[in-house]
Structure formats: structure tokens, C-alpha cells
Amino acid sequence: IVGYDNVPLARYNYPPLTTLNQPTGYIGAMLFKLLLSLIGGTPDRELSGRLIQPELHVRQSTGPVPKK
């Protein structure tokens, strides 16, 4: 089982949940820069085509759970 957005509680579940983490702060900053460039009439093509690489946090929900 895999979750999305790496919410803080994911690591405290049993078993801890494997999740994808999106760099939301970075994405927000890039969107703001893109918006400013669009408002200014000079769209930044590099920003509009940028792919953001998420991070996979592998935890125990993707494999065997150790016995307590």
C-alpha cells in the first residue's frame, strides 16, 4: 500500500505507510514565478514545461511487517 503527499501520520501507522512526497514549497514558488511572468506578458517557457521529481519514502507497508 502506498500513500500520497507524505502526511506526518504516515510514519506512525502500523505498518508505517510508504508514501510519495511532493516538494509543495518548491512547486508553489515556481508557480508564483510563472504567474508573474504571464502577468508581465513574457511567459517563461522553461517554467511551464518543468517536471518535478517526487521522492518515494519506502516504509513497511510495501513489504513484510516484522513480528512484535
Side-chain angles (χ1 to χ4, degrees), residues 12-68:
Y12 300 112
N13 289 333
Y14 186 78
L17 182 63
T18 295
T19 61
L20 271 175
N21 185 39
Q22 296 285 2
T24 54
Y26 177 75
I27 292 170
M30 293 299 105
L31 287 173
F32 183 71
K33 286 180 181 180
L34 179 59
L35 178 62
L36 288 178
S37 73
L38 291 171
I39 291 171
T42 55
D44 188 334
R45 302 279 182 214
E46 182 181 325
L47 287 175
S48 64
R50 183 172 290 184
L51 294 176
I52 307 297
Q53 185 70 37
E55 294 176 353
L56 179 63
H57 293 271
V58 178
R59 297 187 180 107
Q60 293 174 337
S61 69
T62 56
V65 177
K67 296 181 181 182
K68 284 187 170 183

